Amino acid sequence: MATIYKLHPNNPQSRKVEAIAAALRQGAVALYPTDTVYAIGCDLNHRGAVQRVRQLKQLANDKPLTFLCASLSNIADYAMVSDGAYRLIKRLIPGPFTFLLPATRQVPKLVMNPKRRTTGIRVPDHAICLSLVETLQNPVISTSALTLLPPSTSGRSANKPIDKMVMFDALEKLVDVIVDDDQPLAYEVSTILDMEGEEPLVVRQGLGWEMALAWGAQLV
């Protein structure tokens, strides 16, 4: 059974964050809130945990996994960022945006797209996420947990929210750690921006996509 940690959404308790980070270092898979939807994640550098996340999500190895970083300088460690991409990312982070960028050698092969050698990176506007990444000192994998919920409990088909405990009950046997921020569940995903070309392209419209267009991104 998963261990549940209840954290303050704006001022997460450092002792609990440290305990979660310690579990991730040991290969734990966590269910945790972000500034968009609840996510399934793990330490980017723990190969076994990354494989578990792929299995849970039934993702083939050629499907890249998004991960969370704490800052723009942190992004530059894991991706090659052009001057134009740098300017746009600087304006949009922290926020609900996923940036598709050419990966550096620091990105594990199990995480990136092996043919394009690209990766998806986010800097979320969420105190718990940022505190966790900073404490772990490694990026954290972030992939939506909502797709793991049975259709009868997802609430999405009926376009109405579900009780958070229903989600916890449905997923507690699949993860090792559950983070509860005592906030309502969110259903809107991040906006995905492809930053590989000369101009950034919005390839998925999620939260904040209008802001991305205002700063120069283009719709596909």
Side-chain angles (χ1 to χ4, degrees):
M1 183 177 293
T3 302
I4 298 179
Y5 293 90
K6 195 164 187 176
L7 299 182
H8 191 282
N10 300 316
N11 297 291
Q13 302 90 322
S14 59
R15 179 179 56 83
K16 293 182 179 180
V17 172
E18 288 168 0
I20 297 167
L24 294 180
R25 291 189 194 100
Q26 296 299 315
V29 171
L31 172 66
Y32 65 95
T34 73
D35 55 347
T36 55
V37 299
Y38 251 78
I40 296 287
C42 64
D43 185 333
L44 175 74
N45 290 324
H46 197 291
R47 182 178 178 84
V50 175
Q51 289 176 326
R52 278 185 61 195
V53 170
R54 282 199 175 278
Q55 290 168 357
L56 285 174
K57 293 281 294 195
Q58 298 182 357
L59 293 174
N61 285 345
D62 62 346
K63 299 293 184 182
L65 287 168
T66 295
F67 57 88
L68 308 181
C69 285
S71 65
L72 182 51
S73 61
N74 203 200
I75 288 179
D77 291 333
Y78 296 92
M80 291 174 277
V81 184
S82 68
D83 290 344
Y86 181 94
R87 287 190 293 271
L88 179 59
I89 293 172
K90 187 176 181 180
R91 290 177 177 131
L92 295 179
I93 63 170
F97 303 97
T98 299
F99 305 102
L100 301 181
L101 293 158
T104 68
R105 292 182 179 180
Q106 290 200 53
V107 178
K109 292 182 179 179
L110 190 59
V111 172
M112 72 174 72
N113 181 315
K115 294 181 179 179
R116 297 178 63 188
R117 297 192 63 81
T118 56
T119 193
I121 303 180
R122 291 195 59 209
V123 178
D125 187 11
H126 195 276
I128 291 175
C129 290
L130 294 176
S131 180
L132 183 56
V133 171
E134 290 166 356
T135 302
L136 181 63
Q137 296 186 327
N138 274 333
V140 175
I141 294 293
S142 182
T143 179
S144 173
L146 295 182
T147 56
L148 294 176
L149 293 173
S152 60
T153 63
S154 69
R156 288 172 294 164
S157 59
N159 195 31
K160 59 183 180 181
I162 63 169
D163 185 272
K164 187 181 290 184
M165 292 308 299
V166 173
M167 180 181 70
F168 290 172
D169 290 343
L171 302 181
E172 66 174 350
K173 293 181 180 178
L174 302 180
V175 300
D176 308 298
V177 170
I178 293 175
V179 180
D180 183 1
D181 64 352
D182 200 29
Q183 298 293 303
L185 284 180
Y187 292 87
E188 291 190 81
V189 296
S190 66
T191 290
I192 298 180
L193 290 147
D194 188 336
M195 312 292 285
E196 288 187 274
E198 292 184 1
E199 60 182 21
L201 300 175
V202 175
V203 295
R204 183 178 75 185
Q205 295 180 32
L207 280 174
W209 69 271
E210 299 97 335
M211 184 186 301
L213 293 186
W215 285 111
Q218 304 295 317
L219 288 175
V220 172

